[in-house]
Amino acid sequence: MNTKALLARLKRVAPASFVLATVVMAAPADAQRSNPVTPPAGNPDAAPVPPVETAPPAMIRRITVQGAQRIEAATILTYITLHEGDMYSEVAADRALKALFATGLFSDVKINWDGTIMTVNVVENPIINRVEFEGNSKVTTKDLEKESQMKPRMVFTRAKVQSDVQRIIELYRRNGKFAASVDPQIIQRPQNRVDLIYSINEGPTTGVSRIIFVGNKAYDDDTLRKQVATEESAWWRILASNDNYDPDRLLFDKEQLRRYYTARGYADFHVSSAVAELTPDHSGFYITFTLDEGKKYTFGKVEILSRIKELPAQALRPLVGIKDGDLYDEGRVEKLKDTLVNAVGSKGYASADVGVRLRRDPDTRKIDLVLRIDQGPRVYVDKINVVGNNRTLDRVIRRELRFQEGDAFNRDLIDRSRTRIRSLGFFKDVTIKNSSGSRPDKTDITVNVEEMSTGEVSLGAGYSSTSSFVGEFSYTERNLFGRGQFLRASVSMSTISKQYQLSFTEPWFLDRPLAAGIDLYKWITDYNQANYEGDVTAAGIRFGFPTSEYGSVQMRYTFRVNKVTPFSGAPASLLQEIQLDGDQTNTSLVGFTFGYNTLDDYLKPTHGVMFSLSEDFAGIGGGLKFLKTEGSFTTYAPLFWDMVGQLTLNSGFIQGYGGSTVPIEERFFRGGDSFRGFKLAGIGPRDTSVTGDYGSLGGDFYAGGTAQARLPDLLPADYGMQFALFSDFGTLGHLDTPFRGAAYPNVKDNMALRASAGISVKWKSPFGPVQIDLGVPFAKTWYDKSEFIHFSAGTGM
């Protein structure tokens, strides 16, 4: 077929095919041969369709980076997968573009390709110079900094800024500021740096207008409102922090209500819903709790199924304090489970399982308990890990552990170890947990401690009813160099005294459980109540060692130089005593103290006992000869209504020998801190010829004690206030023979019982600890000196 005939045929087929064919016919002959035209399938007469041509991939001969300021070009190239010598493609370039954006280092990225050179153009995100918060008063800057992800020297990204805004708004909502808004502002600085400022408009506080309970029949609304943490807003609650809507606190309130009901027999109780609705004027919230109380149950039978041979059900039965007919209390069930877990753990079964099953009988409204104890393998301690001690040496903590690697797992020893570590006073919190070891019969123990500041440079001032105004400068380190050593150097001055002290203690002398220490001190004190000034200079050494898990003995030697200077107008009895003993005496003192302590907590005990017995012997050198004995016993126990009871009994006696009498500076004085309701040295023998609060002579014997009930927290724990009811009782007297009888008719020495009662308030205030004791004597002699308010406060910086 000639060319003209072919063109005529193509025109009849389709105009587009004609154009395409024209292009093909116009192509060189060699091109036609290398790219044959294939006619459409099924139509051999149709015009053939040529294939779509694609550009062949080209090799990247060079990659350049433009726009980088802080980031090195080589660093940028490590983020992309294309390299010189690779074949360029649009897919690979797009992948490189996304990888650079994903780093968060760049606000804009472009990739240009000219056939041989690939150019990467970047615009770097700025670096944050500083982050500031403006307009905040309800929420502290410190709390805002914790919520903010953006920090100085970080790369600025808008996504993180928006995330910070949402986090700050949520923080304000939890503090009752639902109208709060945050406007992030940027100030450009040289060298591609920016200042980030969060401008905050807190808006009004959205309080709680009313708390409503629906479905409650057993307890009225007022009773239930006392169980939840959220409070209704009121003008007199100026210090309250829970009178605003907080979703997290609402969940806590639901749990508090559940605990309240389940502790009083309502085992099926649950909160159906807790809804917070904003009032029409947006001034507060209505919070509505919908309750389903259910039936009230009592305990039925308690069945124990134990599969541990060493702990048969009969041996565990005494641990069960629940009796048939007792009101159901979920808290008692949990305590019983914990008791059984500890009992099983004390036998070395760390992986034993104690399961509790409740069998309800709706007809009799009784709940039977079935306690199933599965043995599991006996477990031994594999590894002991100590974490969280950034400053304290490992050995300081490990030497307090009552178990070692390879010992059988024992829950009692773990609890005891935690108590001993807490009693060091170096840590805010101590937790001991066990986890799976290298084998099924092995367990790893992790001791996690949270350290607190143990060093203190204090410049303080304060006031107390005993010492009036007090000023102090001291350096104290309870954990010197992380070795557990104690060092204190102090200078204290008040209206009535000057004290200088240096003390050092090594708790593990020669790497043995032997505490060794030295004391140097000088005290100059105006004993106004006793009409003399005392000047004491002393040096001493001491050693202590444990006698058992809970017992210890301390031995000491002290050499003291005492000077006594009577005031003008001092009574004749005191002048006669100083004339007999001399105005300066030297005392060489050897003594010991035996202590026994089983308290469960060093800082806030709830049960346990403390006992101490001290004996001091003077006469090995020096001028004074006497024997001094003191003893003290204290016990703690839980009472009703979450109160903790404390009973303390103490006594002391000092007796001269070898013709020596006991000088006034060695006698016992009681009152003030040691006997609330009475002034300092307010009870005991007194020379009544001296008017006012003076004339106290001290006594050779005292006996007494304290009965105290620590009340549950009446205010939120944030306030740091603690209340206690107390009663102090005791007696003081028994002067040496020369100062009794007809020769001194004005000296009164009556061993009558004294007693007082009152309330004690302790407050961890922002400016230091404050203690106020309000005491009223209800048993005293006519010459005793009473005091209703005893106050002390201090500051340190």
Side-chain angles (χ1 to χ4, degrees), residues 173-186:
R173 287 183 175 180
R174 293 198 300 268
N175 284 272
K177 297 283 189 178
F178 280 79
S181 61
V182 181
D183 179 24
Q185 299 175 359
I186 300 171

Side-chain angles (χ1 to χ4, degrees), residues 319-450:
L319 301 177
V320 180
I322 298 175
K323 298 179 181 179
D324 190 348
D326 288 352
L327 191 65
Y328 175 80
D329 184 349
E330 185 181 79
R332 294 183 66 183
V333 176
E334 291 298 324
K335 289 181 180 178
L336 175 58
K337 181 179 178 180
D338 292 340
T339 301
L340 294 179
V341 168
N342 289 334
V344 174
S346 64
K347 296 298 181 180
Y349 296 97
S351 58
D353 178 52
V354 178
V356 179
R357 185 161 59 92
L358 305 180
R359 292 192 305 212
R360 289 177 173 83
D361 188 343
D363 296 332
T364 60
R365 296 191 179 182
K366 284 183 174 292
I367 295 179
D368 295 336
L369 294 183
V370 180
L371 302 166
R372 183 185 180 92
I373 305 174
D374 293 322
Q375 176 173 317
R378 184 180 288 273
V379 177
Y380 298 87
V381 177
D382 192 6
K383 296 179 181 178
I384 300 176
N385 303 311
V386 179
V387 297
N389 54 320
N390 300 321
R391 184 168 180 270
T392 306
L393 300 181
D394 265 24
R395 60 185 174 89
V396 174
I397 299 173
R398 290 179 181 272
R399 65 196 184 195
E400 301 299 330
L401 299 178
R402 302 294 92 184
F403 54 88
Q404 298 178 352
E405 295 174 350
D407 290 352
F409 179 87
N410 190 311
R411 178 65 62 181
D412 291 341
L413 295 182
I414 287 179
D415 293 341
R416 177 59 184 163
S417 299
R418 178 181 177 274
T419 300
R420 289 179 64 91
I421 295 173
R422 276 180 57 86
S423 66
L424 293 174
F426 305 158
F427 311 106
K428 290 181 181 179
D429 190 27
V430 180
T431 58
I432 302 180
K433 296 182 179 180
N434 62 295
S435 57
S436 300
S438 58
R439 296 187 318 197
D441 63 340
K442 298 286 188 179
T443 184
D444 292 340
I445 304 294
T446 301
V447 181
N448 195 331
V449 298
E450 182 182 354

Side-chain angles (χ1 to χ4, degrees), residues 70-106:
R70 299 184 314 274
I71 308 173
E72 296 290 337
T75 302
I76 296 175
L77 294 179
T78 60
Y79 295 125
I80 64 178
T81 56
L82 287 172
H83 305 88
E84 294 180 357
D86 292 347
M87 305 304 289
Y88 177 84
S89 68
E90 293 294 338
V91 175
D94 182 65
R95 194 162 45 243
L97 198 70
K98 293 178 178 178
L100 290 173
F101 272 115
T103 63
L105 300 173
F106 311 104

